[in-house]
Amino acid sequence: DYYQQLKQQDERNPYISWQLAMCYMSTRDYVLAGHYFSEVKTMAKNVYPYAGYYAALMYKQQCEYKLAIELFNEFLLENKKNAVAKKKDENPAISNNFYRYKDPKVVKNLKKLIKIEIEGCEMAIASLKDPQAATVINAGPNVNSSYTELSPYPLGDSALLFATLGRNRATNASYIGGKGLIETDPWKASEFRDKFMYSHKQAGYVDSFQWPLPFYDGQFNDPNMHTGNGSWGPGGDKFYFSKCGLDAQDSLRCNIYMSKFGVSGWTAPDLMGDLGEMGHNTMPFVAKVGKKEIIFFASDRKLQSRGGWDLWYSIIDPRDGRISRPQNCGKMVNTKMDELTPYYDSRNGTLYFASSGQ
């Protein structure tokens, strides 16, 4: 809103247009983001050399695939030769800004990504000519709230387990003279935590769910930490999930925990060995691969990483539950970008995942 006010006063200022484009991209308003990135490209391409690349990404997000391909190819043509790095005497206020100069390494990596993006656009164009039947239905207001819901896991055919804040209202705040903006109706800290809930399917409806209920099994939810990404082991007697909380540097850190069901019910969740070290580890999925029980997970650990978040796996010893040293899933799966949310289908030996680099 503030940048739009400035825009009315100074319509030809590329900095304001760039800031608007970044704001709209961050809030996923791809139509306006594409408009303003294109505007910056027209007004000040030399000042913002990556504007054309981002404009192409935004048009791809809008399903404007042909226009996106055109802009991607234009960026490749303009950067056919090696980019020139910033000069030593360049203004530090500008040179410290990633978007204001061409870095040879950045441009080289962008060229590789652009080829993948173009392939994605061509794949989309082809799929529109020969669409495959798929039905996507929102799970409804009993499951979804105004905040984020994540990691859905079916409980047989009758219910859905998922993680949510479980709230639909914002906290209230009032301006108090001399004290500024003060929360007058703050959430309790324990309420502002992702937690497991479950919802039964409504009888007579294919994909409609009842009002969600707290998931008390095993006391997996923690009032001091975010919990989610639940996965049962193949035998159904082990439950794996993520817990995230602040570390000593006030950074959010995620680790994988496991609880086992026995004669006395679920055991207290235990941090899973080496998976709890060297970076964030989250999104576990456990499956039978041949005769072995494997835990797949996402991690941003640096050692042996291909970059960003990668998918990893460890073998679980059936005798004592110990896990082997984590192994990277390799270059056929992982890229320099992020790979997340592993799901392994044991019936046909297929690994499904999300990737921003494929």
Side-chain angles (χ1 to χ4, degrees):
D1 291 342
Y2 290 122
Y3 283 121
Q4 284 290 7
Q5 292 174 32
L6 292 172
K7 181 73 173 172
Q8 294 176 9
Q9 301 169 21
D10 191 358
E11 292 184 0
R12 300 295 299 170
N13 188 325
Y15 171 78
I16 297 173
S17 296
W18 176 265
Q19 294 297 94
L20 277 168
M22 295 297 285
C23 286
Y24 284 123
M25 181 171 67
S26 298
T27 52
R28 303 186 183 92
D29 192 332
Y30 301 122
V31 174
L32 287 174
H35 169 78
Y36 285 111
F37 278 128
S38 296
E39 188 174 272
V40 173
K41 176 178 174 291
T42 302
M43 289 192 296
K45 182 168 61 177
N46 293 332
V47 180
Y48 294 95
Y50 303 126
Y53 165 74
Y54 283 106
L57 279 182
M58 297 303 98
Y59 286 118
K60 180 171 180 271
Q61 292 292 82
Q62 299 173 46
C63 306
E64 297 285 350
Y65 300 117
K66 290 183 178 179
L67 180 55
I69 291 174
E70 183 181 321
L71 289 171
F72 281 134
N73 282 323
E74 187 178 323
F75 184 90
L76 290 176
L77 187 63
E78 291 173 351
N79 293 278
K80 199 168 185 179
K81 297 181 179 179
N82 291 330
V84 178
K86 63 180 183 294
K87 298 177 181 178
K88 289 184 179 180
D89 59 350
E90 193 173 18
N91 184 344
I94 295 177
S95 63
N96 287 337
N97 187 335
F98 165 79
Y99 304 103
R100 298 289 285 268
Y101 68 88
K102 288 185 181 180
D103 184 299
K105 291 183 179 179
V106 172
V107 172
K108 184 179 179 181
N109 288 333
L110 282 183
K111 286 181 178 180
K112 293 179 181 177
L113 283 175
I114 283 173
K115 291 178 181 178
I116 296 172
E117 296 290 353
I118 290 174
E119 288 178 8
C121 289
E122 292 172 342
M123 185 191 302
I125 291 172
S127 70
L128 288 172
K129 295 177 180 178
D130 182 24
Q132 301 300 308
T135 302
V136 180
I137 301 174
N138 190 290
N142 287 340
V143 168
N144 294 312
S145 69
S146 55
Y147 296 95
T148 298
E149 279 65 47
L150 67 153
S151 60
Y153 194 103
L155 301 177
D157 294 326
S158 61
L160 183 72
L161 176 71
F162 59 98
T164 178
L165 287 175
R167 301 295 294 253
N168 262 317
R169 66 178 180 86
T171 185
N172 296 324
S174 300
Y175 183 82
I176 300 176
K179 294 183 179 180
L181 203 61
I182 303 296
E183 290 183 343
T184 55
D185 183 23
W187 289 9
K188 295 177 182 177
S190 61
E191 292 178 327
F192 197 71
R193 299 284 186 272
D194 284 307
K195 49 190 163 292
F196 287 118
M197 298 188 79
Y198 74 101
S199 179
H200 287 284
K201 284 188 176 181
Q202 295 193 46
Y205 297 88
V206 177
D207 286 298
S208 183
F209 294 90
Q210 299 176 9
W211 187 253
L213 300 170
F215 188 69
Y216 291 125
D217 281 21
Q219 301 297 315
F220 303 130
N221 290 326
D222 189 326
N224 300 312
M225 302 183 78
H226 298 281
T227 52
N229 305 309
S231 170
W232 271 271
D237 61 341
K238 294 178 183 176
F239 186 71
Y240 302 82
F241 65 103
S242 302
K243 291 174 71 172
C244 301
L246 297 178
D247 61 16
Q249 287 74 43
D250 282 340
S251 297
L252 195 66
R253 178 159 295 280
C254 299
N255 283 309
I256 297 172
Y257 288 75
M258 186 273 287
S259 180
K260 190 173 183 179
F261 190 81
V263 292
S264 300
W266 291 100
T267 61
D270 286 327
L271 182 65
M272 289 200 66
D274 183 50
L275 302 190
E277 300 172 6
M278 302 169 60
H280 297 73
N281 305 283
T282 185
M283 302 177 185
F285 189 85
V286 182
K288 279 281 188 181
V289 181
K291 294 183 179 180
K292 296 179 180 179
E293 194 168 300
I294 305 292
I295 178 169
F296 295 94
F297 63 99
S299 176
D300 65 349
R301 57 177 60 206
K302 304 303 179 188
L303 187 64
Q304 298 180 326
S305 169
R306 297 192 62 81
W309 285 77
D310 280 0
L311 296 189
W312 301 74
Y313 71 92
S314 286
I315 300 172
I316 302 173
D317 192 318
R319 296 167 296 182
D320 54 13
R322 294 177 63 184
I323 57 172
S324 67
R325 180 182 176 186
Q327 300 294 316
N328 191 287
C329 284
K331 64 181 180 181
M332 296 300 290
V333 169
N334 293 314
T335 67
K336 291 184 178 181
M337 305 293 281
D338 293 332
E339 280 68 44
L340 298 166
T341 58
Y343 172 87
Y344 187 85
D345 188 339
S346 298
R347 295 169 298 177
N348 57 23
T350 303
L351 177 67
Y352 297 87
F353 59 97
S355 173
S356 57
Q358 298 275 15

